[in-house]
């Protein structure tokens, strides 16, 4: 037991973690830059277990073979989303999200409870459309919750619009009950406060046909 404890909690690039990563992860995920910000093999395995769920998403999307990228099929008049396999009710967590295709009229990243819908008719901001989800619409820089706009984000004059391929870091703090965002190395601020003490899942919603969204769990956020 002591030996396995050292193996599992010691060197995160040990041969055990390398072997497990090779067995769990698709070759594409390991040889491309999808996991470039996850430096250890233990972290890569953990990211895989926190990736999008193939069983908890709209019927109009599928998860690509790399295990981390959502592809939305070209279905008219539908908004489609996905949640991750694992949610959080405690601790501090960070993940990256980026679009690899057009945003369309609505492209939202954020969090949702298990009760939040992952598909609806029309082109709408699905995340944030009820009291079970919180979202940032990257198209118009609005914050959304309970079907209402909670202000613009980031809170600065002439905030730059999201650029395709740009990685957004999402930071969920279940101790302070806040959700914050970073762009590159810039902290954009806290977007939502007073989150409920329930299990919250990283989630996205999209409307544009054949667009793709990638989500990678990073672990505990690094302060500073």
């Amino acid at each position: 037991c002591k030996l396995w404890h050292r193996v599992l909690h010691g060197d995160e690039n040990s041969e055990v973690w390398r072997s497990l990563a090779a067995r769990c992860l698709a070759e594409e995920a390991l040889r491309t830059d999808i996991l470039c910000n996850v430096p250890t093999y233990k972290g890569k395995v953990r990211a895989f277990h926190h990736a999008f769920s193939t069983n908890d998403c709209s019927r109009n999307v599928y998860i690509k073979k790399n295990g981390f990228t959502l592809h939305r099929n070209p279905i008219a008049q539908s908004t489609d989303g996905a949640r991750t396999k694992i949610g959080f009710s405690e601790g501090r967590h960070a993940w990256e999200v980026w679009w690899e295709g057009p945003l369309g009229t609505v492209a939202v990243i954020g969090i949702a409870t298990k009760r939040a819908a992952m598909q609806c008719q029309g082109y709408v901001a699905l995340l944030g459309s009820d009291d079970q989800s919180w979202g940032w619409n990257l198209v118009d820089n609005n914050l959304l919750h309970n079907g209402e706009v909670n202000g613009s984000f980031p809170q600065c004059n002439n905030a730059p619009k999201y650029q395709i391929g740009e990685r957004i870091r999402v930071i969920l703090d279940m101790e302070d009950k806040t959700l914050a965002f970073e762009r590159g190395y810039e902290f954009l601020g806290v977007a939502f406060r007073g989150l409920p003490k329930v299990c919250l899942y990283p989630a996205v919603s999209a409307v544009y046909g054949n667009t793709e969204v990638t989500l990678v769990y990073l672990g505990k956020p690094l302060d500073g």
Side-chain angles (χ1 to χ4, degrees):
C1 290
K2 290 183 179 179
L3 175 60
W4 276 110
H5 186 272
R6 288 199 300 270
V7 169
L8 296 177
H9 300 283
D11 182 6
E12 296 192 358
N13 283 313
S14 68
E15 196 58 42
V16 171
W17 287 114
R18 287 173 180 266
S19 176
L20 192 57
R23 289 166 54 188
C24 291
L25 278 71
E27 182 181 351
E28 179 185 346
L30 291 173
R31 64 179 171 80
T32 63
D33 66 350
I34 288 176
L35 298 173
C36 66
N37 291 328
V38 184
T40 69
Y41 283 96
K42 180 179 180 179
K44 297 179 196 299
V45 172
R46 180 180 57 196
F48 171 76
H49 288 293
H50 284 80
F52 284 126
S53 171
T54 57
N55 300 314
D56 196 10
C57 57
S58 167
R59 64 181 180 274
N60 298 324
V61 306
Y62 66 86
I63 310 305
K64 296 182 68 176
K65 290 183 178 179
N66 65 33
F68 297 91
T69 302
L70 169 157
H71 180 101
R72 183 191 178 275
N73 291 321
I75 306 299
Q77 291 299 316
S78 179
T79 301
D80 306 286
R83 268 181 293 256
T84 56
K85 302 169 190 172
I86 298 174
F88 311 108
S89 57
E90 59 183 20
R92 302 173 67 234
H93 307 272
W95 60 92
E96 288 182 329
V97 185
W98 65 96
W99 246 254
E100 299 183 68
L103 298 180
T105 55
V106 186
V108 189
I109 62 176
I111 52 175
T113 71
K114 202 70 170 178
R115 295 169 57 191
M118 288 292 107
Q119 191 277 331
C120 70
Q121 293 299 112
Y123 302 133
V124 301
L126 183 56
L127 281 184
S129 63
D130 57 19
D131 64 353
Q132 299 298 309
S133 58
W134 297 256
W136 174 22
N137 185 3
L138 300 177
V139 176
D140 59 17
N141 281 342
N142 281 339
L143 296 177
L144 306 157
H145 174 60
N146 204 21
E148 299 178 349
V149 174
N150 285 15
S152 60
F153 188 84
Q155 294 183 346
C156 60
N157 294 328
N158 301 316
K161 293 296 184 68
Y162 177 81
Q163 302 297 313
I164 298 300
E166 191 174 36
R167 298 192 181 205
I168 298 293
R169 184 167 296 186
V170 190
I171 303 168
L172 175 64
D173 190 330
M174 292 303 296
E175 308 310 315
D176 286 344
K177 301 178 182 178
T178 60
L179 185 72
F181 296 95
E182 293 180 354
R183 179 190 283 120
Y185 295 100
E186 179 186 5
F187 181 69
L188 301 179
V190 173
F192 295 100
R193 300 181 185 273
L195 298 173
K197 196 68 173 178
V198 297
C199 191
L200 298 172
Y201 294 76
V204 304
S205 66
V207 300
Y208 200 90
N210 292 321
T211 196
E212 295 185 344
V213 189
T214 300
L215 185 152
V216 175
Y217 180 74
L218 302 175
K220 185 177 179 180
L222 297 176
D223 294 321

